[in-house]
Amino acid sequence: MAGKKILLTGATGYIGGTVLSTLLNSEAESITGAAISVLVRGEHQAGVLKDKGLTTIDFKGFGDDDALREAASEHDVVINTASGFEDGFAASLIRGLAERKNALGVDVHYIHTSGTTNYANSPTLNLYPGYNADLVSDKATAQVVSTLRHLNEQTPYAQRTTDLAVLSVGKETGVRTHIITMPMLFGFGTGFFRKLTGQLPILMGEALREKQMWIVGDGTGVKQHVHIEDGAAVYELVLRRVFEGLEVPSGEEGVIFVENGEHRWNEAGEAIAEVGRRLGVLDTEQVRRLSLEEAGKALGIEDINYVEAAYAST
Ligand SMILES: NC(=O)c1ccc[n+]([C@@H]2O[C@H](COP(=O)([O-])OP(=O)(O)OC[C@H]3O[C@@H](n4cnc5c(N)ncnc54)[C@H](OP(=O)(O)O)[C@@H]3O)[C@@H](O)[C@H]2O)c1
């Protein structure tokens, strides 16, 4: 749609880079006609993105509130893929969009990136007694948001706190918010910078170093997953619907889960071990089981709750 302006954060990252290339390659007229700006820090990154024809806006980091508000106030849609863990960052971007809405009376949208670790159970640490992660569904949005609040009251988690901030600042300002909640991502990103994500590639790197695959705990936790390009297609879909004036759920209704399959950690660990052994890069098909503490130490993660949520939960 001619004249629409999109601001993307995280363009140098795994998700943001893939979202960017998806939008640049989009065949939807409503997207090809829009102008894309990217918020970046660093001259090298800005140079590469400028060469691709993008407008780059410099900022100093997540706490650069004035620059963030000003940048957002010049766009109709902000897609934030830089971090789901920074509530102040998200709030500044939404407040900037609100300035545009109030000044010009136009419809503005904030598309946020979050993750399913927000809803992870806690089989080992038992942080959430009685909680059943299998029952969470974006078809029951009121229950999703009450789950976010309920779990965060028991154990605060920055990615949940940020989702809740997005919902409350969106409601307060009248900016329509859409929270895209990613599961475990896999596959090579298609952006201009980071092409790999964490979790499985990190465990593969550990396995290559130790010549043996390991997972955390008993491996019975179930992870939903999606290929990064399929995940990025969801941003394109939401954006198209916004630009084409079609209904897109927003606010508390607009917490959107993305997945097209699931696996247990056991299955992933055993498959990696089997392939690694076949390729001759691992010494054995046996998969070691590490405790949360052992895994935290190996991965350099101090927050044991996060180790459980990211590597040993459903
Ligand atoms: N990857 C996954 O599997 C996954 C799954 C579920 C949810 N998520 C959510 O998606 C978010 C992004 O994931 P990702 O895998 O795309 O991350 P990533 O590849 O590490 O990319 C992070 C992006 O944020 C920017 N950034 C990092 N620290 C910054 C700072 N202090 N100030 C300003 N910009 C900063 C980076 O820019 P520079 O190049 O300047 O560092 C980069 O563009 C995560 O925070 C998480 O909430 C990810």
Side-chain angles (χ1 to χ4, degrees):
M1 187 157 291
K4 290 286 180 190
K5 296 175 76 183
I6 304 163
L7 177 66
L8 174 69
T9 77
T12 56
Y14 175 66
I15 298 178
T18 309
V19 169
L20 178 60
S21 71
T22 301
L23 298 184
L24 291 175
N25 292 322
S26 176
E27 291 176 0
E29 267 179 44
S30 56
I31 293 179
T32 53
I36 304 176
S37 314
V38 289
L39 259 184
V40 275
R41 41 178 201 162
E43 271 177 40
H44 166 67
Q45 288 91 329
V48 171
L49 293 165
K50 266 189 196 127
D51 285 348
K52 307 289 173 196
L54 296 156
T55 301
T56 63
I57 302 175
D58 182 44
F59 80 125
K60 294 186 184 68
F62 295 138
D64 197 357
D65 294 325
D66 291 342
L68 295 168
R69 278 173 78 136
E70 191 184 331
S73 73
E74 289 163 6
H75 294 83
D76 301 295
V77 177
V78 172
I79 304 177
N80 177 15
T81 69
S83 174
F85 290 82
E86 299 287 336
D87 55 341
F89 179 55
S92 294
L93 293 167
I94 298 171
R95 291 192 189 287
L97 283 169
E99 284 175 22
R100 181 174 186 82
K101 180 183 163 73
N102 295 334
L104 302 181
V106 292
D107 200 21
V108 290
H109 291 255
Y110 173 77
I111 303 175
H112 184 72
T113 305
S114 188
T116 49
T117 49
N118 282 0
Y119 307 90
N121 68 358
S122 173
T124 309
L125 300 173
N126 199 23
L127 299 172
Y128 316 110
Y131 170 59
N132 184 352
D134 289 338
L135 301 181
V136 178
S137 159
D138 61 359
K139 294 195 174 72
T141 45
Q143 177 227 33
V144 165
V145 177
S146 66
T147 300
L148 270 179
R149 290 201 179 99
H150 179 65
L151 297 181
N152 222 32
E153 276 158 17
Q154 295 177 68
T155 305
Y157 175 46
Q159 194 179 233
R160 274 196 294 257
T161 305
T162 305
D163 278 14
L164 292 168
V166 167
L167 294 174
S168 79
V169 181
K171 192 169 176 189
E172 173 202 320
T173 56
V175 172
R176 293 187 68 191
T177 62
H178 316 275
I179 299 180
I180 299 186
T181 306
M182 289 292 195
M184 179 187 278
L185 293 163
F186 67 93
F188 289 102
T190 57
F192 305 114
F193 299 89
R194 212 157 301 137
K195 296 195 197 302
L196 281 180
T197 183
Q199 290 183 298
L200 289 179
I202 288 179
L203 293 186
M204 290 179 207
E206 286 294 306
L208 288 173
R209 215 165 45 80
E210 296 184 14
K211 304 279 179 224
Q212 182 173 14
M213 182 63 190
W214 57 259
I215 58 170
V216 189
D218 67 6
T220 55
V222 178
K223 295 297 280 186
Q224 267 75 38
H225 58 229
V226 73
H227 190 280
I228 180 64
E229 290 190 62
D230 293 328
V234 175
Y235 291 79
E236 182 188 16
L237 178 65
V238 170
L239 199 57
R240 276 186 64 172
R241 293 187 68 90
V242 163
F243 285 167
E244 290 167 17
L246 300 170
E247 180 48 30
V248 195
S250 63
E252 297 204 355
E253 298 287 312
V255 180
I256 300 163
F257 287 86
V258 179
E259 55 98 355
N260 61 3
E262 62 180 38
H263 62 271
R264 287 185 190 277
W265 280 106
N266 272 335
E267 293 166 341
E270 283 159 17
I272 292 166
E274 194 265 316
V275 173
R277 178 78 182 115
R278 188 149 34 90
L279 294 172
V281 293
L282 301 185
D283 290 341
T284 171
E285 282 186 27
Q286 295 296 314
V287 178
R288 284 171 62 211
R289 265 75 178 161
L290 265 57
S291 68
L292 294 176
E293 291 75 14
E294 288 169 330
K297 212 169 154 200
L299 299 169
I301 303 174
E302 276 177 28
D303 180 357
I304 217 71
N305 296 356
Y306 181 72
V307 176
E308 183 182 46
Y311 291 93
S313 68
T314 290

PDB file of all heavy atoms in Angstrom, residues 10-16 41 45 59 61-62 81-85 113-115 159 182-183 185 194 197, ligand 1:
ATOM      1  N   GLY A  10      15.801  -5.255  15.162  1.00  0.00           N
ATOM      2  CA  GLY A  10      16.384  -6.607  15.171  1.00  0.00           C
ATOM      3  C   GLY A  10      16.755  -7.093  13.780  1.00  0.00           C
ATOM      4  O   GLY A  10      16.922  -8.297  13.566  1.00  0.00           O
ATOM      5  N   ALA A  11      16.906  -6.168  12.824  1.00  0.00           N
ATOM      6  CA  ALA A  11      17.155  -6.567  11.425  1.00  0.00           C
ATOM      7  C   ALA A  11      18.461  -7.345  11.260  1.00  0.00           C
ATOM      8  O   ALA A  11      18.638  -8.075  10.279  1.00  0.00           O
ATOM      9  CB  ALA A  11      17.175  -5.333  10.526  1.00  0.00           C
ATOM     10  N   THR A  12      19.389  -7.195  12.209  1.00  0.00           N
ATOM     11  CA  THR A  12      20.650  -7.950  12.105  1.00  0.00           C
ATOM     12  C   THR A  12      20.543  -9.317  12.781  1.00  0.00           C
ATOM     13  O   THR A  12      21.494 -10.095  12.753  1.00  0.00           O
ATOM     14  CB  THR A  12      21.801  -7.158  12.755  1.00  0.00           C
ATOM     15  OG1 THR A  12      21.436  -6.869  14.112  1.00  0.00           O
ATOM     16  CG2 THR A  12      22.071  -5.855  12.022  1.00  0.00           C
ATOM     17  N   GLY A  13      19.405  -9.596  13.403  1.00  0.00           N
ATOM     18  CA  GLY A  13      19.257 -10.850  14.152  1.00  0.00           C
ATOM     19  C   GLY A  13      18.707 -11.987  13.305  1.00  0.00           C
ATOM     20  O   GLY A  13      18.430 -11.829  12.112  1.00  0.00           O
ATOM     21  N   TYR A  14      18.541 -13.111  13.952  1.00  0.00           N
ATOM     22  CA  TYR A  14      18.066 -14.343  13.293  1.00  0.00           C
ATOM     23  C   TYR A  14      16.623 -14.174  12.820  1.00  0.00           C
ATOM     24  O   TYR A  14      16.315 -14.354  11.637  1.00  0.00           O
ATOM     25  CB  TYR A  14      18.193 -15.481  14.306  1.00  0.00           C
ATOM     26  CG  TYR A  14      17.660 -16.821  13.878  1.00  0.00           C
ATOM     27  CD1 TYR A  14      18.243 -17.545  12.839  1.00  0.00           C
ATOM     28  CD2 TYR A  14      16.578 -17.402  14.557  1.00  0.00           C
ATOM     29  CE1 TYR A  14      17.768 -18.802  12.491  1.00  0.00           C
ATOM     30  CE2 TYR A  14      16.111 -18.650  14.219  1.00  0.00           C
ATOM     31  CZ  TYR A  14      16.709 -19.353  13.181  1.00  0.00           C
ATOM     32  OH  TYR A  14      16.236 -20.597  12.847  1.00  0.00           O
ATOM     33  N   ILE A  15      15.741 -13.779  13.747  1.00  0.00           N
ATOM     34  CA  ILE A  15      14.328 -13.635  13.364  1.00  0.00           C
ATOM     35  C   ILE A  15      14.166 -12.389  12.489  1.00  0.00           C
ATOM     36  O   ILE A  15      13.574 -12.442  11.411  1.00  0.00           O
ATOM     37  CB  ILE A  15      13.416 -13.530  14.604  1.00  0.00           C
ATOM     38  CG1 ILE A  15      13.496 -14.810  15.448  1.00  0.00           C
ATOM     39  CG2 ILE A  15      11.957 -13.261  14.181  1.00  0.00           C
ATOM     40  CD1 ILE A  15      12.669 -14.776  16.729  1.00  0.00           C
ATOM     41  N   GLY A  16      14.712 -11.259  12.976  1.00  0.00           N
ATOM     42  CA  GLY A  16      14.514  -9.996  12.261  1.00  0.00           C
ATOM     43  C   GLY A  16      15.085 -10.037  10.857  1.00  0.00           C
ATOM     44  O   GLY A  16      14.487  -9.490   9.910  1.00  0.00           O
ATOM     45  N   ARG A  41      22.218  -0.477  15.402  1.00  0.00           N
ATOM     46  CA  ARG A  41      23.356   0.167  16.067  1.00  0.00           C
ATOM     47  C   ARG A  41      24.595  -0.375  15.367  1.00  0.00           C
ATOM     48  O   ARG A  41      24.710  -1.564  15.110  1.00  0.00           O
ATOM     49  CB  ARG A  41      23.366  -0.130  17.567  1.00  0.00           C
ATOM     50  CG  ARG A  41      23.019  -1.559  17.900  1.00  0.00           C
ATOM     51  CD  ARG A  41      23.080  -1.858  19.352  1.00  0.00           C
ATOM     52  NE  ARG A  41      23.238  -3.312  19.525  1.00  0.00           N
ATOM     53  CZ  ARG A  41      23.651  -3.902  20.609  1.00  0.00           C
ATOM     54  NH1 ARG A  41      23.940  -3.187  21.659  1.00  0.00           N
ATOM     55  NH2 ARG A  41      23.770  -5.209  20.679  1.00  0.00           N
ATOM     56  N   GLN A  45      26.782  -2.506  10.192  1.00  0.00           N
ATOM     57  CA  GLN A  45      25.441  -3.050   9.943  1.00  0.00           C
ATOM     58  C   GLN A  45      24.613  -2.058   9.113  1.00  0.00           C
ATOM     59  O   GLN A  45      23.935  -2.443   8.159  1.00  0.00           O
ATOM     60  CB  GLN A  45      24.718  -3.319  11.273  1.00  0.00           C
ATOM     61  CG  GLN A  45      25.255  -4.503  12.034  1.00  0.00           C
ATOM     62  CD  GLN A  45      26.348  -4.108  13.010  1.00  0.00           C
ATOM     63  OE1 GLN A  45      27.096  -3.149  12.778  1.00  0.00           O
ATOM     64  NE2 GLN A  45      26.468  -4.858  14.091  1.00  0.00           N
ATOM     65  N   PHE A  59      20.448   3.953  16.613  1.00  0.00           N
ATOM     66  CA  PHE A  59      20.067   4.107  18.027  1.00  0.00           C
ATOM     67  C   PHE A  59      21.146   3.455  18.879  1.00  0.00           C
ATOM     68  O   PHE A  59      21.947   2.667  18.399  1.00  0.00           O
ATOM     69  CB  PHE A  59      18.665   3.553  18.297  1.00  0.00           C
ATOM     70  CG  PHE A  59      18.563   2.055  18.463  1.00  0.00           C
ATOM     71  CD1 PHE A  59      17.989   1.509  19.600  1.00  0.00           C
ATOM     72  CD2 PHE A  59      19.029   1.187  17.487  1.00  0.00           C
ATOM     73  CE1 PHE A  59      17.872   0.138  19.760  1.00  0.00           C
ATOM     74  CE2 PHE A  59      18.917  -0.186  17.640  1.00  0.00           C
ATOM     75  CZ  PHE A  59      18.333  -0.711  18.770  1.00  0.00           C
ATOM     76  N   GLY A  61      20.723   1.671  21.805  1.00  0.00           N
ATOM     77  CA  GLY A  61      20.426   0.421  22.510  1.00  0.00           C
ATOM     78  C   GLY A  61      19.031   0.466  23.095  1.00  0.00           C
ATOM     79  O   GLY A  61      18.288   1.422  22.870  1.00  0.00           O
ATOM     80  N   PHE A  62      18.686  -0.554  23.857  1.00  0.00           N
ATOM     81  CA  PHE A  62      17.311  -0.697  24.334  1.00  0.00           C
ATOM     82  C   PHE A  62      16.829   0.475  25.186  1.00  0.00           C
ATOM     83  O   PHE A  62      15.651   0.747  25.252  1.00  0.00           O
ATOM     84  CB  PHE A  62      17.158  -1.996  25.120  1.00  0.00           C
ATOM     85  CG  PHE A  62      17.358  -3.227  24.288  1.00  0.00           C
ATOM     86  CD1 PHE A  62      18.087  -4.310  24.769  1.00  0.00           C
ATOM     87  CD2 PHE A  62      16.820  -3.320  23.005  1.00  0.00           C
ATOM     88  CE1 PHE A  62      18.262  -5.455  24.011  1.00  0.00           C
ATOM     89  CE2 PHE A  62      16.994  -4.456  22.229  1.00  0.00           C
ATOM     90  CZ  PHE A  62      17.725  -5.528  22.736  1.00  0.00           C
ATOM     91  N   THR A  81      11.542  -7.285  16.551  1.00  0.00           N
ATOM     92  CA  THR A  81      12.090  -8.647  16.689  1.00  0.00           C
ATOM     93  C   THR A  81      13.399  -8.624  17.472  1.00  0.00           C
ATOM     94  O   THR A  81      14.056  -9.651  17.604  1.00  0.00           O
ATOM     95  CB  THR A  81      12.385  -9.288  15.306  1.00  0.00           C
ATOM     96  OG1 THR A  81      13.496  -8.592  14.710  1.00  0.00           O
ATOM     97  CG2 THR A  81      11.193  -9.236  14.374  1.00  0.00           C
ATOM     98  N   ALA A  82      13.798  -7.451  17.989  1.00  0.00           N
ATOM     99  CA  ALA A  82      15.126  -7.360  18.617  1.00  0.00           C
ATOM    100  C   ALA A  82      15.162  -8.108  19.939  1.00  0.00           C
ATOM    101  O   ALA A  82      16.139  -8.796  20.237  1.00  0.00           O
ATOM    102  CB  ALA A  82      15.517  -5.902  18.827  1.00  0.00           C
ATOM    103  N   SER A  83      14.114  -7.949  20.736  1.00  0.00           N
ATOM    104  CA  SER A  83      14.103  -8.655  22.015  1.00  0.00           C
ATOM    105  C   SER A  83      12.705  -8.674  22.584  1.00  0.00           C
ATOM    106  O   SER A  83      12.004  -7.663  22.573  1.00  0.00           O
ATOM    107  CB  SER A  83      15.033  -7.974  23.021  1.00  0.00           C
ATOM    108  OG  SER A  83      14.882  -8.604  24.288  1.00  0.00           O
ATOM    109  N   GLY A  84      12.343  -9.839  23.100  1.00  0.00           N
ATOM    110  CA  GLY A  84      11.071  -9.956  23.812  1.00  0.00           C
ATOM    111  C   GLY A  84      11.258  -9.747  25.299  1.00  0.00           C
ATOM    112  O   GLY A  84      10.316  -9.916  26.072  1.00  0.00           O
ATOM    113  N   PHE A  85      12.458  -9.375  25.693  1.00  0.00           N
ATOM    114  CA  PHE A  85      12.789  -9.339  27.124  1.00  0.00           C
ATOM    115  C   PHE A  85      12.947  -7.919  27.676  1.00  0.00           C
ATOM    116  O   PHE A  85      13.406  -7.755  28.792  1.00  0.00           O
ATOM    117  CB  PHE A  85      14.091 -10.115  27.376  1.00  0.00           C
ATOM    118  CG  PHE A  85      13.948 -11.599  27.205  1.00  0.00           C
ATOM    119  CD1 PHE A  85      14.000 -12.172  25.944  1.00  0.00           C
ATOM    120  CD2 PHE A  85      13.744 -12.430  28.304  1.00  0.00           C
ATOM    121  CE1 PHE A  85      13.859 -13.541  25.773  1.00  0.00           C
ATOM    122  CE2 PHE A  85      13.602 -13.800  28.146  1.00  0.00           C
ATOM    123  CZ  PHE A  85      13.658 -14.364  26.866  1.00  0.00           C
ATOM    124  N   THR A 113       7.566  -9.587  19.170  1.00  0.00           N
ATOM    125  CA  THR A 113       8.054 -10.970  19.134  1.00  0.00           C
ATOM    126  C   THR A 113       8.238 -11.479  20.560  1.00  0.00           C
ATOM    127  O   THR A 113       8.934 -10.853  21.366  1.00  0.00           O
ATOM    128  CB  THR A 113       9.418 -11.047  18.420  1.00  0.00           C
ATOM    129  OG1 THR A 113       9.281 -10.458  17.131  1.00  0.00           O
ATOM    130  CG2 THR A 113       9.880 -12.498  18.285  1.00  0.00           C
ATOM    131  N   SER A 114       7.592 -12.597  20.854  1.00  0.00           N
ATOM    132  CA  SER A 114       7.752 -13.202  22.181  1.00  0.00           C
ATOM    133  C   SER A 114       8.052 -14.685  22.011  1.00  0.00           C
ATOM    134  O   SER A 114       8.351 -15.131  20.898  1.00  0.00           O
ATOM    135  CB  SER A 114       6.474 -12.968  22.994  1.00  0.00           C
ATOM    136  OG  SER A 114       6.678 -13.379  24.323  1.00  0.00           O
ATOM    137  N   GLY A 115       8.005 -15.443  23.109  1.00  0.00           N
ATOM    138  CA  GLY A 115       8.380 -16.856  23.008  1.00  0.00           C
ATOM    139  C   GLY A 115       7.568 -17.743  23.933  1.00  0.00           C
ATOM    140  O   GLY A 115       7.042 -17.291  24.962  1.00  0.00           O
ATOM    141  N   GLN A 159      10.472 -11.907  29.798  1.00  0.00           N
ATOM    142  CA  GLN A 159       9.740 -12.004  28.528  1.00  0.00           C
ATOM    143  C   GLN A 159       8.224 -11.949  28.766  1.00  0.00           C
ATOM    144  O   GLN A 159       7.479 -11.424  27.940  1.00  0.00           O
ATOM    145  CB  GLN A 159      10.153 -13.274  27.773  1.00  0.00           C
ATOM    146  CG  GLN A 159       9.718 -13.287  26.317  1.00  0.00           C
ATOM    147  CD  GLN A 159      10.148 -14.534  25.587  1.00  0.00           C
ATOM    148  OE1 GLN A 159      10.778 -14.464  24.518  1.00  0.00           O
ATOM    149  NE2 GLN A 159       9.808 -15.693  26.120  1.00  0.00           N
ATOM    150  N   MET A 182       6.761 -17.125  19.482  1.00  0.00           N
ATOM    151  CA  MET A 182       7.512 -18.142  18.743  1.00  0.00           C
ATOM    152  C   MET A 182       7.830 -19.350  19.625  1.00  0.00           C
ATOM    153  O   MET A 182       8.183 -19.192  20.793  1.00  0.00           O
ATOM    154  CB  MET A 182       8.831 -17.560  18.246  1.00  0.00           C
ATOM    155  CG  MET A 182       8.664 -16.569  17.139  1.00  0.00           C
ATOM    156  SD  MET A 182       8.063 -17.450  15.666  1.00  0.00           S
ATOM    157  CE  MET A 182       8.379 -16.197  14.436  1.00  0.00           C
ATOM    158  N   PRO A 183       7.775 -20.547  19.043  1.00  0.00           N
ATOM    159  CA  PRO A 183       8.214 -21.751  19.760  1.00  0.00           C
ATOM    160  C   PRO A 183       9.715 -21.916  19.512  1.00  0.00           C
ATOM    161  O   PRO A 183      10.400 -20.946  19.190  1.00  0.00           O
ATOM    162  CB  PRO A 183       7.418 -22.839  19.055  1.00  0.00           C
ATOM    163  CG  PRO A 183       7.416 -22.379  17.624  1.00  0.00           C
ATOM    164  CD  PRO A 183       7.388 -20.860  17.662  1.00  0.00           C
ATOM    165  N   LEU A 185      12.662 -22.354  17.302  1.00  0.00           N
ATOM    166  CA  LEU A 185      12.875 -22.151  15.866  1.00  0.00           C
ATOM    167  C   LEU A 185      14.021 -23.022  15.393  1.00  0.00           C
ATOM    168  O   LEU A 185      14.939 -23.340  16.152  1.00  0.00           O
ATOM    169  CB  LEU A 185      13.197 -20.677  15.615  1.00  0.00           C
ATOM    170  CG  LEU A 185      12.020 -19.736  15.889  1.00  0.00           C
ATOM    171  CD1 LEU A 185      12.492 -18.304  16.019  1.00  0.00           C
ATOM    172  CD2 LEU A 185      10.979 -19.861  14.794  1.00  0.00           C
ATOM    173  N   ARG A 194      22.972 -12.589  11.272  1.00  0.00           N
ATOM    174  CA  ARG A 194      22.903 -13.852  12.028  1.00  0.00           C
ATOM    175  C   ARG A 194      21.951 -14.851  11.368  1.00  0.00           C
ATOM    176  O   ARG A 194      20.794 -14.540  11.116  1.00  0.00           O
ATOM    177  CB  ARG A 194      22.408 -13.528  13.454  1.00  0.00           C
ATOM    178  CG  ARG A 194      22.954 -14.429  14.508  1.00  0.00           C
ATOM    179  CD  ARG A 194      22.889 -13.745  15.867  1.00  0.00           C
ATOM    180  NE  ARG A 194      23.651 -12.510  15.862  1.00  0.00           N
ATOM    181  CZ  ARG A 194      23.246 -11.367  16.416  1.00  0.00           C
ATOM    182  NH1 ARG A 194      22.096 -11.300  17.041  1.00  0.00           N
ATOM    183  NH2 ARG A 194      24.003 -10.296  16.378  1.00  0.00           N
ATOM    184  N   THR A 197      20.124 -19.789  15.305  1.00  0.00           N
ATOM    185  CA  THR A 197      19.560 -19.424  16.597  1.00  0.00           C
ATOM    186  C   THR A 197      20.246 -20.213  17.711  1.00  0.00           C
ATOM    187  O   THR A 197      21.264 -20.874  17.482  1.00  0.00           O
ATOM    188  CB  THR A 197      18.036 -19.684  16.584  1.00  0.00           C
ATOM    189  OG1 THR A 197      17.508 -19.257  17.839  1.00  0.00           O
ATOM    190  CG2 THR A 197      17.702 -21.150  16.374  1.00  0.00           C
TER     191      THR A 197
HETATM  192  N1  LIG B   1      15.488 -17.475  18.288  1.00  0.00           N
HETATM  193  C1  LIG B   1      14.532 -18.189  18.841  1.00  0.00           C
HETATM  194  O1  LIG B   1      14.524 -19.442  18.759  1.00  0.00           O
HETATM  195  C2  LIG B   1      13.406 -17.502  19.583  1.00  0.00           C
HETATM  196  C3  LIG B   1      12.318 -18.284  19.995  1.00  0.00           C
HETATM  197  C4  LIG B   1      11.289 -17.676  20.676  1.00  0.00           C
HETATM  198  C5  LIG B   1      11.319 -16.312  20.913  1.00  0.00           C
HETATM  199  N2  LIG B   1      12.384 -15.561  20.519  1.00  0.00           N
HETATM  200  C6  LIG B   1      12.337 -14.110  20.820  1.00  0.00           C
HETATM  201  O2  LIG B   1      12.861 -13.372  19.738  1.00  0.00           O
HETATM  202  C7  LIG B   1      13.813 -12.426  20.201  1.00  0.00           C
HETATM  203  C8  LIG B   1      14.896 -12.266  19.132  1.00  0.00           C
HETATM  204  O3  LIG B   1      15.486 -13.527  18.864  1.00  0.00           O
HETATM  205  P1  LIG B   1      16.635 -13.742  17.790  1.00  0.00           P
HETATM  206  O4  LIG B   1      16.957 -15.190  17.804  1.00  0.00           O
HETATM  207  O5  LIG B   1      16.278 -13.122  16.506  1.00  0.00           O
HETATM  208  O6  LIG B   1      17.845 -12.935  18.461  1.00  0.00           O
HETATM  209  P2  LIG B   1      19.236 -12.493  17.820  1.00  0.00           P
HETATM  210  O7  LIG B   1      19.555 -13.259  16.596  1.00  0.00           O
HETATM  211  O8  LIG B   1      20.214 -12.527  18.943  1.00  0.00           O
HETATM  212  O9  LIG B   1      18.991 -10.961  17.386  1.00  0.00           O
HETATM  213  C9  LIG B   1      18.882  -9.957  18.342  1.00  0.00           C
HETATM  214  C10 LIG B   1      18.706  -8.607  17.661  1.00  0.00           C
HETATM  215  O10 LIG B   1      18.550  -7.615  18.676  1.00  0.00           O
HETATM  216  C11 LIG B   1      19.615  -6.666  18.599  1.00  0.00           C
HETATM  217  N3  LIG B   1      20.121  -6.367  19.942  1.00  0.00           N
HETATM  218  C12 LIG B   1      20.669  -7.235  20.828  1.00  0.00           C
HETATM  219  N4  LIG B   1      21.033  -6.575  21.955  1.00  0.00           N
HETATM  220  C13 LIG B   1      20.714  -5.275  21.752  1.00  0.00           C
HETATM  221  C14 LIG B   1      20.834  -4.106  22.545  1.00  0.00           C
HETATM  222  N5  LIG B   1      21.353  -4.124  23.776  1.00  0.00           N
HETATM  223  N6  LIG B   1      20.397  -2.928  22.046  1.00  0.00           N
HETATM  224  C15 LIG B   1      19.865  -2.898  20.799  1.00  0.00           C
HETATM  225  N7  LIG B   1      19.723  -3.965  19.988  1.00  0.00           N
HETATM  226  C16 LIG B   1      20.140  -5.146  20.469  1.00  0.00           C
HETATM  227  C17 LIG B   1      20.705  -7.312  17.778  1.00  0.00           C
HETATM  228  O11 LIG B   1      21.410  -6.266  17.155  1.00  0.00           O
HETATM  229  P3  LIG B   1      23.029  -6.240  17.072  1.00  0.00           P
HETATM  230  O12 LIG B   1      23.354  -6.930  15.785  1.00  0.00           O
HETATM  231  O13 LIG B   1      23.325  -4.782  17.080  1.00  0.00           O
HETATM  232  O14 LIG B   1      23.546  -6.968  18.271  1.00  0.00           O
HETATM  233  C18 LIG B   1      19.883  -8.176  16.805  1.00  0.00           C
HETATM  234  O15 LIG B   1      19.429  -7.392  15.733  1.00  0.00           O
HETATM  235  C19 LIG B   1      14.316 -12.998  21.528  1.00  0.00           C
HETATM  236  O16 LIG B   1      14.670 -11.971  22.426  1.00  0.00           O
HETATM  237  C20 LIG B   1      13.125 -13.755  22.056  1.00  0.00           C
HETATM  238  O17 LIG B   1      12.308 -12.903  22.861  1.00  0.00           O
HETATM  239  C21 LIG B   1      13.430 -16.132  19.850  1.00  0.00           C
END
